[in-house]
Short mmCIF file of all heavy atoms in Angstrom, two decimals:
data_model
loop_
_atom_site.label_atom_id
_atom_site.label_comp_id
_atom_site.label_asym_id
_atom_site.label_seq_id
_atom_site.Cartn_x
_atom_site.Cartn_y
_atom_site.Cartn_z
N ALA A 1 0.84 -1.21 -0.01
CA ALA A 1 0.02 0.01 0.00
C ALA A 1 0.86 1.24 -0.07
O ALA A 1 0.53 2.23 -0.71
CB ALA A 1 -0.90 -0.04 1.23
N LEU A 2 1.93 1.24 0.79
CA LEU A 2 2.86 2.38 0.82
C LEU A 2 3.62 2.57 -0.52
O LEU A 2 3.83 3.67 -0.94
CB LEU A 2 3.83 2.20 1.97
CG LEU A 2 3.15 2.33 3.37
CD1 LEU A 2 4.19 1.84 4.42
CD2 LEU A 2 2.76 3.80 3.70
N GLN A 3 3.92 1.48 -1.11
CA GLN A 3 4.63 1.53 -2.42
C GLN A 3 3.65 2.21 -3.47
O GLN A 3 4.11 2.96 -4.30
CB GLN A 3 5.06 0.16 -2.90
CG GLN A 3 6.22 -0.43 -2.10
CD GLN A 3 6.46 -1.90 -2.37
OE1 GLN A 3 5.69 -2.50 -3.11
NE2 GLN A 3 7.54 -2.43 -1.93
N ALA A 4 2.42 1.82 -3.43
CA ALA A 4 1.42 2.43 -4.29
C ALA A 4 1.28 3.99 -4.04
O ALA A 4 1.11 4.73 -4.91
CB ALA A 4 0.08 1.69 -4.16
N LYS A 5 1.24 4.28 -2.68
CA LYS A 5 1.12 5.66 -2.29
C LYS A 5 2.25 6.57 -2.80
O LYS A 5 2.05 7.64 -3.34
CB LYS A 5 1.02 5.74 -0.78
CG LYS A 5 0.92 7.15 -0.23
CD LYS A 5 0.79 7.13 1.29
CE LYS A 5 0.75 8.52 1.86
NZ LYS A 5 0.76 8.50 3.40
N TYR A 6 3.47 6.11 -2.62
CA TYR A 6 4.64 6.91 -2.92
C TYR A 6 5.26 6.65 -4.31
O TYR A 6 6.09 7.40 -4.78
CB TYR A 6 5.71 6.79 -1.87
CG TYR A 6 5.31 7.25 -0.51
CD1 TYR A 6 4.95 6.39 0.54
CD2 TYR A 6 5.17 8.68 -0.25
CE1 TYR A 6 4.61 6.89 1.79
CE2 TYR A 6 4.78 9.13 0.98
CZ TYR A 6 4.50 8.28 2.01
OH TYR A 6 4.12 8.72 3.23
N GLY A 7 4.90 5.53 -4.91
CA GLY A 7 5.53 5.18 -6.17
C GLY A 7 4.62 5.25 -7.39
O GLY A 7 4.67 4.43 -8.29
N GLN A 8 3.70 6.18 -7.41
CA GLN A 8 2.74 6.31 -8.51
C GLN A 8 3.58 6.54 -9.83
O GLN A 8 4.34 7.42 -9.89
CB GLN A 8 1.80 7.49 -8.29
CG GLN A 8 0.92 7.23 -7.05
CD GLN A 8 -0.07 8.40 -6.85
OE1 GLN A 8 -0.31 9.20 -7.73
NE2 GLN A 8 -0.68 8.47 -5.65
N GLY A 9 3.19 5.73 -10.83
CA GLY A 9 3.89 5.80 -12.11
C GLY A 9 5.17 4.95 -12.17
O GLY A 9 5.79 4.89 -13.19
N MET A 10 5.56 4.35 -11.01
CA MET A 10 6.79 3.54 -10.99
C MET A 10 6.40 2.11 -11.20
O MET A 10 5.36 1.66 -10.86
CB MET A 10 7.48 3.75 -9.66
CG MET A 10 7.86 5.17 -9.27
SD MET A 10 9.24 5.74 -10.23
CE MET A 10 9.60 7.29 -9.43
N ALA A 11 7.36 1.37 -11.82
CA ALA A 11 7.18 -0.10 -11.91
C ALA A 11 7.97 -0.69 -10.71
O ALA A 11 9.17 -0.76 -10.72
CB ALA A 11 7.79 -0.53 -13.27
N ILE A 12 7.21 -1.15 -9.78
CA ILE A 12 7.80 -1.67 -8.56
C ILE A 12 7.78 -3.16 -8.43
O ILE A 12 6.72 -3.76 -8.73
CB ILE A 12 7.09 -1.03 -7.32
CG1 ILE A 12 7.37 0.45 -7.31
CG2 ILE A 12 7.57 -1.69 -6.00
CD1 ILE A 12 6.66 1.24 -6.14
N GLU A 13 8.93 -3.79 -8.15
CA GLU A 13 8.99 -5.22 -7.93
C GLU A 13 9.41 -5.54 -6.54
O GLU A 13 10.09 -4.67 -5.88
CB GLU A 13 9.99 -5.83 -8.95
CG GLU A 13 9.68 -5.62 -10.38
CD GLU A 13 10.72 -6.17 -11.29
OE1 GLU A 13 11.81 -6.49 -10.83
OE2 GLU A 13 10.48 -6.33 -12.54
N ASN A 14 9.01 -6.65 -6.01
CA ASN A 14 9.41 -7.13 -4.69
C ASN A 14 9.98 -8.44 -4.74
O ASN A 14 9.56 -9.37 -5.51
CB ASN A 14 8.17 -7.14 -3.80
CG ASN A 14 7.73 -5.69 -3.35
OD1 ASN A 14 8.20 -5.14 -2.47
ND2 ASN A 14 6.64 -5.24 -4.08
N CYS A 15 11.03 -8.67 -3.93
CA CYS A 15 11.68 -9.93 -3.83
C CYS A 15 11.77 -10.32 -2.33
O CYS A 15 12.24 -9.52 -1.51
CB CYS A 15 13.07 -9.90 -4.43
SG CYS A 15 14.00 -11.43 -4.22
N LEU A 16 11.40 -11.50 -1.99
CA LEU A 16 11.39 -11.99 -0.61
C LEU A 16 12.45 -13.07 -0.53
O LEU A 16 12.39 -14.09 -1.25
CB LEU A 16 9.97 -12.52 -0.23
CG LEU A 16 9.83 -13.10 1.15
CD1 LEU A 16 9.76 -11.98 2.20
CD2 LEU A 16 8.65 -13.99 1.31
N GLN A 17 13.40 -12.94 0.35
CA GLN A 17 14.37 -13.96 0.57
C GLN A 17 14.04 -14.71 1.84
O GLN A 17 13.80 -14.15 2.93
CB GLN A 17 15.84 -13.34 0.66
CG GLN A 17 16.16 -12.65 -0.58
CD GLN A 17 17.59 -12.13 -0.62
OE1 GLN A 17 18.36 -12.31 0.29
NE2 GLN A 17 18.00 -11.49 -1.76
N THR A 18 13.95 -16.05 1.76
CA THR A 18 13.37 -16.84 2.84
C THR A 18 13.97 -18.26 2.80
O THR A 18 14.40 -18.76 1.84
CB THR A 18 11.88 -16.94 2.71
OG1 THR A 18 11.30 -17.79 3.70
CG2 THR A 18 11.43 -17.51 1.34
N ASN A 19 13.90 -18.86 4.05
CA ASN A 19 14.29 -20.25 4.16
C ASN A 19 13.13 -21.18 3.81
O ASN A 19 13.22 -22.38 3.71
CB ASN A 19 14.85 -20.61 5.53
CG ASN A 19 13.90 -20.33 6.70
OD1 ASN A 19 12.75 -20.73 6.64
ND2 ASN A 19 14.43 -19.71 7.67
N GLY A 20 11.85 -20.60 3.67
CA GLY A 20 10.73 -21.31 3.19
C GLY A 20 10.00 -22.16 4.26
O GLY A 20 8.85 -22.55 3.99
N THR A 21 10.55 -22.30 5.45
CA THR A 21 9.94 -23.22 6.37
C THR A 21 8.66 -22.73 6.98
O THR A 21 7.89 -23.45 7.56
CB THR A 21 10.95 -23.52 7.52
OG1 THR A 21 11.30 -22.36 8.20
CG2 THR A 21 12.17 -24.19 6.96
N LEU A 22 8.36 -21.39 6.84
CA LEU A 22 7.12 -20.84 7.39
C LEU A 22 6.16 -20.53 6.30
O LEU A 22 5.02 -19.99 6.67
CB LEU A 22 7.47 -19.54 8.20
CG LEU A 22 8.43 -19.72 9.40
CD1 LEU A 22 8.70 -18.32 10.03
CD2 LEU A 22 7.87 -20.67 10.37
N LEU A 23 6.41 -20.81 5.09
CA LEU A 23 5.47 -20.55 4.03
C LEU A 23 4.24 -21.45 4.11
O LEU A 23 4.31 -22.66 4.47
CB LEU A 23 6.18 -20.78 2.67
CG LEU A 23 7.19 -19.74 2.29
CD1 LEU A 23 7.71 -20.02 0.87
CD2 LEU A 23 6.67 -18.33 2.34
N THR A 24 3.06 -20.90 3.82
CA THR A 24 1.82 -21.58 3.84
C THR A 24 1.04 -21.29 2.48
O THR A 24 1.49 -20.54 1.67
CB THR A 24 0.96 -21.03 5.03
OG1 THR A 24 0.72 -19.62 4.79
CG2 THR A 24 1.65 -21.25 6.37
N ASP A 25 -0.12 -21.91 2.42
CA ASP A 25 -0.94 -21.63 1.26
C ASP A 25 -1.27 -20.13 1.16
O ASP A 25 -1.26 -19.52 0.12
CB ASP A 25 -2.25 -22.44 1.33
CG ASP A 25 -2.06 -23.85 0.88
OD1 ASP A 25 -2.12 -24.17 -0.28
OD2 ASP A 25 -1.80 -24.73 1.78
N GLU A 26 -1.61 -19.54 2.35
CA GLU A 26 -1.95 -18.13 2.37
C GLU A 26 -0.74 -17.25 1.91
O GLU A 26 -0.94 -16.33 1.12
CB GLU A 26 -2.37 -17.71 3.76
CG GLU A 26 -2.81 -16.25 3.88
CD GLU A 26 -3.18 -15.79 5.25
OE1 GLU A 26 -2.93 -16.56 6.24
OE2 GLU A 26 -3.68 -14.67 5.41
N TRP A 27 0.41 -17.59 2.42
CA TRP A 27 1.64 -16.85 2.03
C TRP A 27 1.84 -16.95 0.50
O TRP A 27 2.06 -15.92 -0.21
CB TRP A 27 2.84 -17.42 2.71
CG TRP A 27 3.31 -16.66 3.86
CD1 TRP A 27 3.29 -17.00 5.17
CD2 TRP A 27 3.98 -15.36 3.85
NE1 TRP A 27 3.85 -15.99 5.99
CE2 TRP A 27 4.26 -14.98 5.16
CE3 TRP A 27 4.30 -14.51 2.83
CZ2 TRP A 27 4.88 -13.80 5.47
CZ3 TRP A 27 4.91 -13.27 3.14
CH2 TRP A 27 5.20 -12.96 4.47
N CYS A 28 1.75 -18.13 -0.05
CA CYS A 28 2.05 -18.31 -1.46
C CYS A 28 1.06 -17.76 -2.35
O CYS A 28 1.33 -17.20 -3.49
CB CYS A 28 2.28 -19.78 -1.73
SG CYS A 28 3.78 -20.45 -1.01
N LYS A 29 -0.26 -17.73 -1.93
CA LYS A 29 -1.30 -16.99 -2.67
C LYS A 29 -0.99 -15.47 -2.71
O LYS A 29 -1.10 -14.85 -3.75
CB LYS A 29 -2.67 -17.25 -2.09
CG LYS A 29 -3.81 -16.66 -2.89
CD LYS A 29 -5.15 -17.03 -2.32
CE LYS A 29 -6.27 -16.55 -3.28
NZ LYS A 29 -6.20 -15.08 -3.56
N PHE A 30 -0.56 -14.96 -1.56
CA PHE A 30 -0.14 -13.54 -1.50
C PHE A 30 0.93 -13.29 -2.46
O PHE A 30 0.96 -12.27 -3.21
CB PHE A 30 0.16 -13.21 -0.06
CG PHE A 30 0.95 -11.88 0.09
CD1 PHE A 30 0.21 -10.71 0.10
CD2 PHE A 30 2.30 -11.84 0.18
CE1 PHE A 30 0.91 -9.48 0.22
CE2 PHE A 30 3.04 -10.72 0.32
CZ PHE A 30 2.28 -9.43 0.30
N LEU A 31 1.99 -14.08 -2.43
CA LEU A 31 3.15 -13.89 -3.27
C LEU A 31 2.83 -13.90 -4.75
O LEU A 31 3.26 -13.13 -5.60
CB LEU A 31 4.20 -14.94 -2.98
CG LEU A 31 4.78 -14.85 -1.61
CD1 LEU A 31 5.62 -16.15 -1.25
CD2 LEU A 31 5.67 -13.58 -1.35
N HIS A 32 1.90 -14.91 -5.13
CA HIS A 32 1.47 -15.02 -6.52
C HIS A 32 0.64 -13.80 -6.92
O HIS A 32 0.85 -13.16 -7.95
CB HIS A 32 0.68 -16.27 -6.70
CG HIS A 32 -0.01 -16.35 -8.07
ND1 HIS A 32 -1.32 -15.85 -8.19
CD2 HIS A 32 0.41 -16.77 -9.26
CE1 HIS A 32 -1.68 -16.03 -9.48
NE2 HIS A 32 -0.64 -16.58 -10.09
N ASP A 33 -0.33 -13.45 -6.08
CA ASP A 33 -1.26 -12.40 -6.43
C ASP A 33 -0.61 -11.04 -6.60
O ASP A 33 -1.06 -10.18 -7.31
CB ASP A 33 -2.39 -12.25 -5.39
CG ASP A 33 -3.31 -13.49 -5.41
OD1 ASP A 33 -3.30 -14.33 -6.34
OD2 ASP A 33 -4.11 -13.57 -4.40
N ASN A 34 0.55 -10.91 -5.91
CA ASN A 34 1.23 -9.60 -6.03
C ASN A 34 2.52 -9.65 -6.80
O ASN A 34 3.35 -8.75 -6.85
CB ASN A 34 1.58 -9.09 -4.54
CG ASN A 34 0.31 -8.72 -3.83
OD1 ASN A 34 -0.27 -7.68 -4.07
ND2 ASN A 34 -0.12 -9.61 -2.91
N ASN A 35 2.72 -10.82 -7.46
CA ASN A 35 3.85 -10.99 -8.40
C ASN A 35 5.14 -10.80 -7.77
O ASN A 35 6.08 -10.15 -8.32
CB ASN A 35 3.65 -10.04 -9.56
CG ASN A 35 4.49 -10.52 -10.80
OD1 ASN A 35 4.70 -11.67 -11.00
ND2 ASN A 35 4.99 -9.54 -11.58
N TRP A 36 5.37 -11.38 -6.56
CA TRP A 36 6.63 -11.33 -5.89
C TRP A 36 7.55 -12.44 -6.29
O TRP A 36 7.12 -13.56 -6.51
CB TRP A 36 6.43 -11.37 -4.34
CG TRP A 36 5.97 -10.09 -3.77
CD1 TRP A 36 5.16 -9.15 -4.31
CD2 TRP A 36 6.28 -9.61 -2.44
NE1 TRP A 36 4.95 -8.14 -3.47
CE2 TRP A 36 5.58 -8.37 -2.29
CE3 TRP A 36 7.01 -10.07 -1.42
CZ2 TRP A 36 5.66 -7.60 -1.13
CZ3 TRP A 36 7.15 -9.33 -0.23
CH2 TRP A 36 6.48 -8.11 -0.12
N LEU A 37 8.84 -12.14 -6.42
CA LEU A 37 9.85 -13.10 -6.70
C LEU A 37 10.37 -13.61 -5.28
O LEU A 37 10.51 -12.83 -4.34
CB LEU A 37 11.02 -12.50 -7.43
CG LEU A 37 12.24 -13.41 -7.60
CD1 LEU A 37 11.92 -14.58 -8.56
CD2 LEU A 37 13.38 -12.57 -8.31
N VAL A 38 10.67 -14.91 -5.25
CA VAL A 38 11.16 -15.49 -3.96
C VAL A 38 12.51 -16.07 -4.17
O VAL A 38 12.84 -16.78 -5.18
CB VAL A 38 10.22 -16.61 -3.49
CG1 VAL A 38 10.83 -17.40 -2.33
CG2 VAL A 38 8.90 -16.00 -3.09
N GLY A 39 13.43 -15.64 -3.27
CA GLY A 39 14.77 -16.38 -3.21
C GLY A 39 14.69 -17.39 -2.06
O GLY A 39 14.60 -16.99 -0.92
N LEU A 40 14.81 -18.62 -2.44
CA LEU A 40 14.67 -19.71 -1.45
C LEU A 40 15.99 -20.33 -1.10
O LEU A 40 16.70 -20.80 -1.99
CB LEU A 40 13.71 -20.76 -2.03
CG LEU A 40 13.48 -21.94 -1.14
CD1 LEU A 40 12.54 -21.51 0.09
CD2 LEU A 40 12.72 -23.07 -1.87
N SER A 41 16.31 -20.31 0.16
CA SER A 41 17.56 -20.94 0.65
C SER A 41 17.40 -22.46 0.67
O SER A 41 16.60 -22.98 1.42
CB SER A 41 17.94 -20.42 1.98
OG SER A 41 18.15 -19.02 2.02
N ILE A 42 18.13 -23.15 -0.11
CA ILE A 42 18.14 -24.60 -0.13
C ILE A 42 19.49 -25.12 -0.65
O ILE A 42 20.02 -24.66 -1.64
CB ILE A 42 16.99 -25.11 -1.07
CG1 ILE A 42 16.94 -26.63 -1.11
CG2 ILE A 42 17.08 -24.52 -2.49
CD1 ILE A 42 15.64 -27.16 -1.77
#
């Protein structure tokens, strides 16, 4: 929401770096719906 507020007209991407052990269906739906890239430690 803050990115939308201050970044009008900008192409904003988000990347989440995670070990993945806390990811759930809800998390992954959120990541997909908002087009986030994930860096997974494995």
Side-chain angles (χ1 to χ4, degrees):
L2 291 167
Q3 290 170 351
K5 176 181 178 181
Y6 293 109
Q8 296 181 17
M10 304 287 189
I12 294 177
E13 298 178 348
N14 286 278
C15 176
L16 180 77
Q17 298 188 0
T18 176
N19 60 47
T21 60
L22 300 178
L23 291 182
T24 61
D25 283 273
E26 184 183 9
W27 258 111
C28 291
K29 185 177 187 304
F30 165 83
L31 295 168
H32 169 267
D33 291 349
N34 293 284
N35 198 32
W36 281 34
L37 174 67
V38 170
L40 182 68
S41 297
I42 180 168

